[in-house]
Amino acid sequence: MNIHSRYPLLFTPLDLGFTQIKNRALMGSMHTGLEEAENGFERMAAYFAERARGGVGMIITGGIPPNEEGGFGAKLSTPEEAEQHRTVTTAVHTADPDVKICMQILHMGALAPNPSCVAPSAVKSRIGAFKPRELDEEGIEKQLLDFVNCAALAKQAGYDGVEIIGSAGYLLSTFLVAKTNLRTDKWGGSFENRMRFPVEVVRRVRAAVGPNFIVIFRIAAMDMLEGGMAWEEVVTLALAVEAAGATIISTHFCWHEAPVPTIATMVPRAAFTQVTGRLRKVLKVPLITSNRINMPDVAEAVLARGDADIVSMARPMLADPELVRKAFEGREDEINTCIACNQACLDHTFGGYKQVSCLVNPRACRETLLNYKTTAQPRRLAVVGAGPAGLAFATVAAQRGHQVTLFDSGSEVGGQFNLAKRIPGKEEFYETLRYYQRMIAKHGVVLRLNTRVDAALLTAEGSEGFDEVIVATGIVPRQPTLEGIKHPKVVSYIDAIMGRQPIGQRVAIMGAGGIGFDVAELISHAGPSAAMDCAVFAKEWGIDFVNHPRGGVTGVQPQSATSGRTITLLQRKTDPVGKSLGRTTGWTHRLTLSRRGVRMVNGVEYLKVDDAGLHTLVNNEPKLFEVDTVIVCAGQLPLRTLFDDLQTQGIKAALVGGAFEASELDAKRAIEQACQLAASA
Ligand code: FAD
Ligand code: NAP
Ligand code: SF4
C-alpha cells in the first residue's frame, strides 16, 4: 500500500472485515429534492456518479423514508421502488467499483410534513407542520417491520449498506429524549426503555440483511437541546447499537429545532469532532465525524487527532464533486470550497423542499442539465467586472475554450466579496476568491485589474477585438433622498466595512437587509471571530464541550463579547426585522445581535439627519435617535452605464449579476446566472 505524502490517514483504506472502504472520505447524506423530481433517479445517478469519479470512498444518499407516514414524497417500501434505486447504485459502481454507496433510511417522525405523521408521543415539534399521532403497540411493530423491509429492499437495489438516522428530531431520536417521549410503557420512561426502539431497529435490520452489509447508525453525540441527551446516555446508546449489529456509528450534532448553529458559516471548522473523539474511546466499531469539515487538511487533522475513523463531508461535495481527487493529486488550490452559507442547499430544503444546488457550484444537482462543453467556435470575450458574476462567467467561458479578458477597476478580484470577507463569520469567502484566482490562471483568462472600462477603452482595444462584451459591473449603493444625507455623521456601508470612516459609539443603521445585519455584526463584535476560535464560539452559543451537560448546553449561559456600542438597526417595513434573511441562518444573526444588545426597530420613516442625530417617525410617532453615526445600508441599484453606452454604439453586450438586476440580488443568483450564460456562450 502506498502512503499518501500529504494526507496519509485520509487515503488509508478502512477494513470492515467483510469489505473495505478505499479511503476515509465520506459524502454525507443530503436531501436534494432529486428524490422527488421528474427523472429524479437518472439525475441522482449522474449526481452521485460524478462524486464517485471525484474520489470519495463512500456515499450516503439523501434520506429515504421506509413508509408513507415517515416522509412526504420518495419512499422505499416496494420492490418496484427498489428497481428504480438500481439506476443509482449501478451508476456509482460503474463509475468506480471501489466506491461504496449506502442508502439513508430516514423516518421523519414528528417532522414529516405529512398529516399522517407518527411519533412516540403526540408532541408537536416547534418546526413541525403537524401534531403527530402517538404510536400504539401495533403501530410501533409496523414501523419496525417497515424499517426491516426498507433495509432489505435497499440491499436488493444494490446498495452496499444503509444508514439509519437516529438523530436530529426525527422518529428514532424522539424516542430517546424525555421531552418528546412521554410514554409510560416499555418504549418510554427510563433511558433503557427510551432507547429500546432505536436499538430494536438496528437489531432487526442486521438480522434481515445478514452480516456482510454495512449498517451505519447516526447518533446525536451532542444534540444541543436544553434537557437533551446526557453524555452517559449517548455512551449507553452507542454501546447498545454496537452490540445490536451496527458496522459503523456516525456522530451527528444536531436537533433541527435547537437554537445553536452547528453547520452555518460562523461555526469553526471541525468544531464538534472532539465529541466524536471522546465517544471513539469507548467503542470498537469505526466512527464517522462531521460538521464544517470542508478542506482535506482539516479532514487529515481530524483523523490525526484520533477524533474519528472516517470524515464526513456533505455540502463540500455539492461545492466540488472532485474535492477528494484534487486532494489526492495535490491540486488543493483548485478546490471550490463550501463556504457554509446554506443559501442554495439547506435554505432550499427547509424553505419548502425546493431543489437543492450550491451557491459556488450551480451545476450541483443539475449534472444532466448544466454542462460546460468545449466550444466548437472559440470567441474573444471581454468581461467587465470581476465580482462573483464576472468571475464565474469568465472562468467557465475560458474553460470552454473562449479567449477571455477580465477587467476590473479595483486592485483585486472579488467585487462585493471583498466586503463580505471582512465580516466576522464570513472568513470562508476568502476561499471562493482563492478558487477563482486559481481558475483564472488555470484557464488562461487575461486579467486586467486597476482598469476602469468605458466604451472608448473597449473600442480602442480594437473594435474588431472582442466579439462580445459581458457587463458584470455590479451595483451602486442606494442613497436615500433625505435632508442631511450629506451630513458628516452619515457613512456608507462600504466606508464602514472598509474602515475608511470612524464609527461612533452610538450608531443607527438605516436598512436591515443582509448588508445591514452584516454591518451590525461587524461593529458590535469584539475580539476574535467565533468562526476562527472554537472557545469563543462555544462561549457565544453556550456550549460546554468539556463537561458535556445534557445536550451539551443545559444550564450554560451564552456570553457574547461586544464592542460596547449602542446600535439600532432600522427598517421601514413593519415586518419583523430580519425576516428576509436565510431560512436556516437568519435566526442565528437575529439572536447574536439581540444578545449583544442591538435594538431592532421596524415601521420607521426617516425624516432627516442633523447634529442631534437621526429624526424619524416610528409607527407615526416622532422619534429622534441620538447617534454619532448613521450607516446607510438601504439596498442597491444596478450599475449599467457601460452597458447603455455599448448599446448606443451598437457593440454586442450582455448583462449579468447585479448589473442585470439588483433587486433581490445575491451571490447565488449572480453566479448561477453567469454560469448558465457562459455554458451557452
Ligand atoms: P459585484 O460584486 O458588485 O462586482 C462588480 C465588479 O465590477 C466590482 O468589482 C467593480 O469594481 C467592477 N466594476 C464596476 N464598474 C466597472 C467598470 N466600469 N470597469 C471595471 N470594473 C468595473 N451575497 C450572498 O449571496 N451571500 C452573502 O452572504 C453575502 N454577503 C454579503 C456581505 C456584504 C457585506 C456585501 C456587501 C455583499 C454580500 N453579498 C452576499 C452580496 C454579493 O456579494 C453580491 O450579490 C455579489 O457580489 C454580486 O455580484 P456581481 O458580480 O454582480 O457584482
Ligand atoms: P436588501 O436585503 O434588499 O436590504 C435593503 C434594506 O434597505 C432593506 O432593509 C430595505 O428595507 C431598506 N431600503 C430599501 N430602500 C430604501 C430607501 N429608499 N430608504 C431607506 N431604506 C431602504 O439589500 P442589502 O442589504 O443591500 O443586500 C444586498 C444583497 O446582498 C441582498 O440581496 C442580500 O441578499 C445580499 N446579502 C446577503 C447576505 C446573506 O447573508 N445571505 C448578506 C449580505 C448581503 P425597508 O424598505 O423596509 O426599509
Ligand atoms: Fe456550501 Fe453554500 Fe454550496 Fe451549501 S450553497 S454547499 S453551504 S457553498
Side-chain angles (χ1 to χ4, degrees):
M1 187 182 69
N2 292 327
I3 307 273
H4 193 274
S5 58
R6 286 283 301 271
Y7 309 109
L9 300 172
L10 189 59
F11 291 109
T12 297
L14 179 67
D15 192 358
L16 297 176
F18 60 93
T19 191
Q20 208 184 52
I21 305 174
K22 70 172 185 171
N23 61 41
R24 307 304 180 97
L26 170 87
M27 173 174 172
S29 176
M30 288 173 287
H31 184 95
T32 59
L34 293 177
E35 296 83 352
E36 287 84 27
E38 202 180 336
N39 301 326
F41 283 94
E42 287 72 24
R43 291 180 61 186
M44 262 192 286
Y47 159 73
F48 285 124
E50 192 159 316
R51 273 86 194 153
R53 281 191 295 274
V56 69
M58 183 155 77
I59 292 171
I60 314 287
T61 68
I64 302 289
N67 54 28
E68 276 180 13
E69 59 271 35
F72 62 93
K75 65 175 176 60
L76 177 55
S77 61
T78 66
E80 294 72 34
E81 287 160 350
E83 209 39 50
Q84 293 181 307
H85 281 263
R86 190 165 283 287
T87 319
V88 171
T89 56
T90 305
V92 167
H93 292 141
T94 307
D96 184 340
D98 291 334
V99 173
K100 308 288 177 219
I101 177 159
C102 300
M103 193 194 83
Q104 187 186 76
I105 307 180
L106 164 68
H107 191 309
M108 297 175 81
L111 293 181
N114 176 341
S116 321
C117 62
V118 295
S121 303
V123 177
K124 186 179 173 306
S125 161
R126 182 173 61 78
I127 58 168
F130 300 97
K131 186 172 184 177
R133 177 174 58 81
E134 178 175 318
L135 287 163
D136 58 14
E137 190 64 34
E138 204 181 315
I140 288 187
E141 183 60 22
K142 175 188 182 298
Q143 302 307 316
L144 288 168
L145 293 176
D146 288 347
F147 269 95
V148 168
N149 178 48
C150 184
L153 287 171
K155 188 174 179 191
Q156 194 180 311
Y159 286 107
D160 300 289
V162 288
E163 176 177 270
I164 297 163
I165 182 156
S167 52
Y170 297 126
L171 181 71
L172 270 58
S173 55
T174 52
F175 273 90
L176 292 165
V177 171
K179 73 183 216 179
T180 48
N181 183 347
L182 313 176
R183 303 177 76 96
T184 50
D185 59 6
K186 68 175 183 181
W187 307 102
S190 65
F191 188 69
E192 198 189 344
N193 281 355
R194 280 186 270 135
M195 74 174 192
R196 191 182 306 280
F197 183 81
V199 175
E200 189 61 9
V201 169
V202 176
R203 196 185 65 73
R204 292 208 199 176
V205 164
R206 171 55 74 207
V209 295
N212 298 339
F213 191 67
I214 300 170
V215 176
I216 305 168
F217 184 81
R218 194 143 204 220
I219 192 169
M222 200 182 238
D223 60 29
M224 306 295 151
L225 274 187
E226 272 297 312
M229 268 164 66
W231 176 245
E232 301 71 45
E233 293 173 346
V234 173
V235 171
T236 306
L237 174 65
L239 288 168
V241 162
E242 181 180 65
T247 326
I248 299 172
I249 289 183
S250 177
T251 48
H252 206 189
F253 309 97
C254 159
W255 188 288
H256 287 311
E257 58 185 282
V260 177
T262 54
I263 57 169
T265 193
M266 79 286 281
V267 177
R269 290 176 171 187
F272 292 92
T273 65
Q274 52 189 305
V275 183
T276 316
R278 219 172 320 135
L279 192 56
R280 187 167 177 253
K281 293 199 176 78
V282 296
L283 295 176
K284 291 188 210 72
V285 294
L287 270 100
I288 301 173
T289 196
S290 64
N291 289 43
R292 290 285 286 117
I293 301 167
N294 62 349
M295 287 297 275
D297 58 331
V298 184
E300 184 71 16
V302 166
L303 296 169
R305 281 199 300 273
D307 282 355
D309 301 282
I310 302 174
V311 166
S312 169
M313 292 176 274
R315 295 171 301 165
M317 297 290 170
L318 289 178
D320 195 333
E322 290 196 301
L323 185 156
V324 180
R325 180 170 302 288
K326 287 176 180 175
F328 188 80
E329 293 172 359
R331 296 188 287 130
E332 298 85 345
D333 57 351
E334 293 183 19
I335 292 174
N336 197 359
T337 306
C338 167
I339 59 173
C341 63
N342 286 359
Q343 285 177 242
C345 53
L346 283 168
D347 283 352
H348 284 209
T349 307
F350 289 98
Y353 293 98
K354 277 195 291 179
Q355 177 84 59
V356 159
S357 187
C358 172
L359 180 143
V360 299
N361 172 27
R363 276 200 73 241
C365 302
R366 295 192 182 100
E367 287 73 15
T368 56
L369 308 174
L370 177 59
N371 279 298
Y372 308 143
K373 296 191 182 122
T374 304
T375 179
Q377 292 170 316
R379 295 189 299 149
R380 292 201 63 203
L381 302 174
V383 181
V384 184
L391 286 168
F393 182 91
T395 53
V396 171
Q399 178 189 338
R400 294 191 52 226
H402 293 297
Q403 292 169 41
V404 181
T405 304
L406 174 62
F407 298 90
D408 203 288
S409 52
S411 59
E412 54 186 348
V413 302
Q416 293 176 63
F417 265 31
N418 290 313
L419 298 173
K421 73 187 185 189
R422 292 168 185 266
I423 307 300
K426 290 200 167 173
E427 293 81 0
E428 293 286 2
F429 283 58
Y430 281 98
E431 295 284 8
T432 306
L433 299 176
R434 182 264 308 145
Y435 167 76
Y436 276 122
Q437 275 154 358
R438 180 70 193 103
M439 290 302 108
I440 286 171
K442 179 173 166 130
H443 297 303
V445 174
V446 176
L447 179 62
R448 292 191 49 190
L449 294 172
N450 302 307
T451 310
R452 176 159 294 281
V453 174
D454 54 19
L457 183 140
L458 289 173
T459 323
E461 195 74 26
S463 50
E464 306 302 311
F466 294 111
D467 297 308
E468 189 170 357
V469 181
I470 311 304
V471 179
T473 45
I475 53 84
V476 281
R478 180 186 283 119
Q479 179 88 307
T481 317
L482 189 69
E483 187 184 332
I485 196 74
K486 303 258 184 245
H487 191 280
K489 68 172 61 178
V490 179
V491 174
S492 76
Y493 68 79
I494 298 178
D495 287 344
I497 296 172
M498 295 304 285
R500 290 183 195 141
Q501 296 268 0
I503 307 298
Q505 276 302 108
R506 303 169 305 161
V507 184
I509 299 175
M510 197 190 277
I515 293 177
F517 266 82
D518 275 355
V519 166
E521 165 68 37
L522 179 71
I523 65 168
S524 66
H525 105 289
S529 163
M532 305 306 285
D533 187 321
C534 207
V536 175
F537 168 72
K539 212 167 164 187
E540 183 148 9
W541 290 98
I543 306 168
D544 185 344
F545 281 114
V546 178
N547 301 304
H548 200 129
R550 281 193 176 276
V553 295
T554 304
V556 189
Q557 277 309 314
Q559 291 173 36
S560 208
T562 81
S563 62
R565 289 194 173 96
T566 308
I567 301 166
T568 313
L569 196 47
L570 307 164
Q571 75 174 26
R572 299 176 305 174
K573 287 187 285 291
T574 50
D575 290 349
V577 176
K579 192 176 171 213
S580 65
L581 299 178
R583 169 95 186 189
T584 62
T585 53
W587 63 271
T588 63
H589 301 303
R590 290 190 292 268
L591 198 52
T592 308
L593 293 185
S594 52
R595 281 180 182 156
R596 291 185 194 156
V598 174
R599 280 201 303 151
M600 299 179 198
V601 182
N602 56 9
V604 179
E605 187 183 335
Y606 308 113
L607 300 178
K608 66 170 177 177
V609 181
D610 62 16
D611 291 346
L614 175 61
H615 299 257
T616 68
L617 295 177
V618 176
N619 298 321
N620 298 321
E621 294 289 322
K623 165 93 184 147
L624 167 65
F625 292 93
E626 293 178 26
V627 294
D628 314 307
T629 308
V630 176
I631 305 177
V632 180
C633 305
Q636 305 176 328
L637 300 169
L639 178 55
R640 289 211 194 116
T641 329
L642 174 66
F643 181 76
D644 293 342
D645 288 352
L646 294 173
Q647 292 286 90
T648 310
Q649 298 190 28
I651 297 173
K652 192 169 181 216
L655 281 167
V656 70
F660 175 81
E661 173 65 89
S663 162
E664 295 182 18
L665 167 73
D666 60 11
K668 177 178 74 172
R669 202 188 75 202
I671 293 175
E672 187 198 333
Q673 190 197 18
C675 289
Q676 296 278 7
L677 191 65
S680 60

Short mmCIF file of all heavy atoms in Angstrom, two decimals, residues 533-560:
data_model
loop_
_atom_site.label_atom_id
_atom_site.label_comp_id
_atom_site.label_asym_id
_atom_site.label_seq_id
_atom_site.Cartn_x
_atom_site.Cartn_y
_atom_site.Cartn_z
N ASP A 533 -12.33 30.58 16.18
CA ASP A 533 -11.85 30.22 17.50
C ASP A 533 -12.95 29.42 18.22
O ASP A 533 -13.99 29.96 18.60
CB ASP A 533 -11.54 31.52 18.27
CG ASP A 533 -10.86 31.23 19.61
OD1 ASP A 533 -11.26 30.26 20.27
OD2 ASP A 533 -9.97 32.01 19.98
N CYS A 534 -12.67 28.14 18.41
CA CYS A 534 -13.69 27.23 18.95
C CYS A 534 -14.13 27.65 20.36
O CYS A 534 -15.32 27.54 20.70
CB CYS A 534 -13.13 25.82 18.96
SG CYS A 534 -14.40 24.62 18.85
N ALA A 535 -13.19 28.15 21.17
CA ALA A 535 -13.55 28.53 22.54
C ALA A 535 -14.50 29.73 22.52
O ALA A 535 -15.47 29.79 23.29
CB ALA A 535 -12.28 28.87 23.33
N VAL A 536 -14.23 30.69 21.64
CA VAL A 536 -15.11 31.86 21.52
C VAL A 536 -16.49 31.41 21.04
O VAL A 536 -17.53 31.84 21.55
CB VAL A 536 -14.50 32.90 20.55
CG1 VAL A 536 -15.46 34.07 20.32
CG2 VAL A 536 -13.16 33.40 21.07
N PHE A 537 -16.50 30.52 20.05
CA PHE A 537 -17.76 30.01 19.52
C PHE A 537 -18.57 29.33 20.63
O PHE A 537 -19.77 29.58 20.81
CB PHE A 537 -17.47 29.03 18.37
CG PHE A 537 -18.66 28.22 17.94
CD1 PHE A 537 -19.70 28.80 17.24
CD2 PHE A 537 -18.75 26.86 18.25
CE1 PHE A 537 -20.81 28.06 16.85
CE2 PHE A 537 -19.85 26.11 17.87
CZ PHE A 537 -20.88 26.71 17.17
N ALA A 538 -17.90 28.47 21.40
CA ALA A 538 -18.60 27.73 22.47
C ALA A 538 -19.18 28.71 23.49
O ALA A 538 -20.32 28.56 23.94
CB ALA A 538 -17.63 26.77 23.14
N LYS A 539 -18.42 29.74 23.83
CA LYS A 539 -18.88 30.72 24.81
C LYS A 539 -20.09 31.50 24.27
O LYS A 539 -21.09 31.69 24.95
CB LYS A 539 -17.71 31.68 25.09
CG LYS A 539 -17.69 32.21 26.48
CD LYS A 539 -16.35 32.88 26.73
CE LYS A 539 -16.46 33.74 27.96
NZ LYS A 539 -15.32 34.55 28.21
N GLU A 540 -19.96 31.89 23.01
CA GLU A 540 -21.02 32.71 22.41
C GLU A 540 -22.34 31.95 22.31
O GLU A 540 -23.41 32.54 22.43
CB GLU A 540 -20.55 33.18 21.02
CG GLU A 540 -21.55 34.08 20.34
CD GLU A 540 -20.92 35.14 19.43
OE1 GLU A 540 -19.71 35.08 19.20
OE2 GLU A 540 -21.66 36.01 18.99
N TRP A 541 -22.27 30.63 22.13
CA TRP A 541 -23.51 29.86 21.96
C TRP A 541 -23.84 28.98 23.15
O TRP A 541 -24.77 28.18 23.11
CB TRP A 541 -23.44 29.05 20.66
CG TRP A 541 -23.51 29.98 19.49
CD1 TRP A 541 -22.47 30.47 18.76
CD2 TRP A 541 -24.68 30.62 18.99
NE1 TRP A 541 -22.92 31.36 17.81
CE2 TRP A 541 -24.29 31.47 17.92
CE3 TRP A 541 -26.05 30.56 19.31
CZ2 TRP A 541 -25.18 32.25 17.20
CZ3 TRP A 541 -26.94 31.33 18.59
CH2 TRP A 541 -26.51 32.16 17.55
N GLY A 542 -23.08 29.11 24.23
CA GLY A 542 -23.43 28.38 25.45
C GLY A 542 -23.24 26.88 25.34
O GLY A 542 -24.12 26.10 25.76
N ILE A 543 -22.13 26.46 24.75
CA ILE A 543 -21.84 25.02 24.62
C ILE A 543 -20.71 24.67 25.58
O ILE A 543 -19.71 25.38 25.64
CB ILE A 543 -21.38 24.66 23.19
CG1 ILE A 543 -22.39 25.16 22.16
CG2 ILE A 543 -21.17 23.16 23.04
CD1 ILE A 543 -21.87 25.11 20.73
N ASP A 544 -20.88 23.60 26.33
CA ASP A 544 -19.81 23.14 27.23
C ASP A 544 -19.26 21.82 26.67
O ASP A 544 -19.81 20.74 26.92
CB ASP A 544 -20.37 22.96 28.65
CG ASP A 544 -19.27 22.60 29.65
OD1 ASP A 544 -18.18 22.20 29.20
OD2 ASP A 544 -19.54 22.69 30.86
N PHE A 545 -18.18 21.95 25.91
CA PHE A 545 -17.58 20.77 25.29
C PHE A 545 -16.86 19.90 26.32
O PHE A 545 -16.66 18.71 26.11
CB PHE A 545 -16.56 21.18 24.22
CG PHE A 545 -17.18 21.60 22.91
CD1 PHE A 545 -17.09 22.91 22.47
CD2 PHE A 545 -17.86 20.69 22.13
CE1 PHE A 545 -17.67 23.30 21.25
CE2 PHE A 545 -18.44 21.07 20.91
CZ PHE A 545 -18.34 22.38 20.48
N VAL A 546 -16.45 20.50 27.45
CA VAL A 546 -15.63 19.76 28.41
C VAL A 546 -16.50 18.89 29.31
O VAL A 546 -16.29 17.68 29.43
CB VAL A 546 -14.79 20.75 29.26
CG1 VAL A 546 -13.96 20.00 30.30
CG2 VAL A 546 -13.90 21.59 28.35
N ASN A 547 -17.51 19.49 29.93
CA ASN A 547 -18.32 18.73 30.90
C ASN A 547 -19.52 18.04 30.26
O ASN A 547 -20.14 17.18 30.89
CB ASN A 547 -18.79 19.67 32.01
CG ASN A 547 -17.61 20.29 32.72
OD1 ASN A 547 -16.74 19.57 33.23
ND2 ASN A 547 -17.53 21.61 32.71
N HIS A 548 -19.85 18.43 29.06
CA HIS A 548 -20.94 17.82 28.31
C HIS A 548 -22.21 17.65 29.18
O HIS A 548 -22.63 16.52 29.46
CB HIS A 548 -20.52 16.47 27.71
CG HIS A 548 -21.39 16.03 26.57
ND1 HIS A 548 -20.89 15.64 25.36
CD2 HIS A 548 -22.74 15.93 26.44
CE1 HIS A 548 -21.88 15.30 24.55
NE2 HIS A 548 -23.02 15.46 25.20
N PRO A 549 -22.81 18.76 29.63
CA PRO A 549 -24.10 18.62 30.30
C PRO A 549 -25.13 18.11 29.29
O PRO A 549 -24.81 18.00 28.09
CB PRO A 549 -24.42 20.05 30.73
CG PRO A 549 -23.70 20.92 29.75
CD PRO A 549 -22.45 20.17 29.37
N ARG A 550 -26.34 17.83 29.73
CA ARG A 550 -27.37 17.32 28.79
C ARG A 550 -27.41 18.17 27.53
O ARG A 550 -27.47 19.40 27.60
CB ARG A 550 -28.75 17.35 29.45
CG ARG A 550 -28.97 16.20 30.39
CD ARG A 550 -30.42 16.05 30.80
NE ARG A 550 -30.55 14.87 31.63
CZ ARG A 550 -30.70 13.63 31.14
NH1 ARG A 550 -30.79 13.43 29.85
NH2 ARG A 550 -30.77 12.59 31.96
N GLY A 551 -27.34 17.49 26.38
CA GLY A 551 -27.39 18.19 25.09
C GLY A 551 -26.16 19.02 24.81
O GLY A 551 -26.05 19.64 23.75
N GLY A 552 -25.23 19.08 25.75
CA GLY A 552 -24.04 19.92 25.59
C GLY A 552 -24.27 21.36 26.00
O GLY A 552 -23.32 22.15 26.07
N VAL A 553 -25.55 21.72 26.30
CA VAL A 553 -25.88 23.14 26.51
C VAL A 553 -26.67 23.42 27.79
O VAL A 553 -26.81 24.58 28.18
CB VAL A 553 -26.69 23.69 25.31
CG1 VAL A 553 -25.88 23.69 24.03
CG2 VAL A 553 -27.98 22.90 25.11
N THR A 554 -27.20 22.37 28.42
CA THR A 554 -28.14 22.61 29.52
C THR A 554 -27.47 23.39 30.66
O THR A 554 -26.41 23.00 31.15
CB THR A 554 -28.71 21.27 30.03
OG1 THR A 554 -29.29 20.60 28.93
CG2 THR A 554 -29.75 21.47 31.12
N GLY A 555 -28.09 24.50 31.00
CA GLY A 555 -27.59 25.32 32.11
C GLY A 555 -26.40 26.20 31.77
O GLY A 555 -25.86 26.88 32.64
N VAL A 556 -25.98 26.23 30.50
CA VAL A 556 -24.82 27.07 30.12
C VAL A 556 -25.35 28.37 29.50
O VAL A 556 -26.10 28.33 28.53
CB VAL A 556 -23.91 26.36 29.09
CG1 VAL A 556 -22.63 27.15 28.89
CG2 VAL A 556 -23.61 24.94 29.52
N GLN A 557 -24.95 29.50 30.08
CA GLN A 557 -25.41 30.80 29.59
C GLN A 557 -24.53 31.27 28.43
O GLN A 557 -23.31 31.38 28.59
CB GLN A 557 -25.32 31.86 30.71
CG GLN A 557 -26.51 31.87 31.66
CD GLN A 557 -27.84 31.94 30.92
OE1 GLN A 557 -28.02 32.74 30.00
NE2 GLN A 557 -28.77 31.07 31.29
N PRO A 558 -25.11 31.59 27.27
CA PRO A 558 -24.29 32.16 26.19
C PRO A 558 -23.70 33.50 26.62
O PRO A 558 -24.37 34.27 27.32
CB PRO A 558 -25.31 32.37 25.06
CG PRO A 558 -26.47 31.51 25.41
CD PRO A 558 -26.51 31.41 26.89
N GLN A 559 -22.46 33.74 26.27
CA GLN A 559 -21.80 35.01 26.62
C GLN A 559 -21.13 35.58 25.38
O GLN A 559 -20.26 34.93 24.81
CB GLN A 559 -20.71 34.79 27.66
CG GLN A 559 -21.24 34.41 29.02
CD GLN A 559 -20.07 34.04 29.93
OE1 GLN A 559 -19.01 34.61 29.87
NE2 GLN A 559 -20.29 33.03 30.76
N SER A 560 -21.55 36.77 25.02
CA SER A 560 -21.01 37.38 23.81
C SER A 560 -20.16 38.59 24.16
O SER A 560 -20.61 39.46 24.90
CB SER A 560 -22.20 37.82 22.96
OG SER A 560 -21.89 37.82 21.63
#
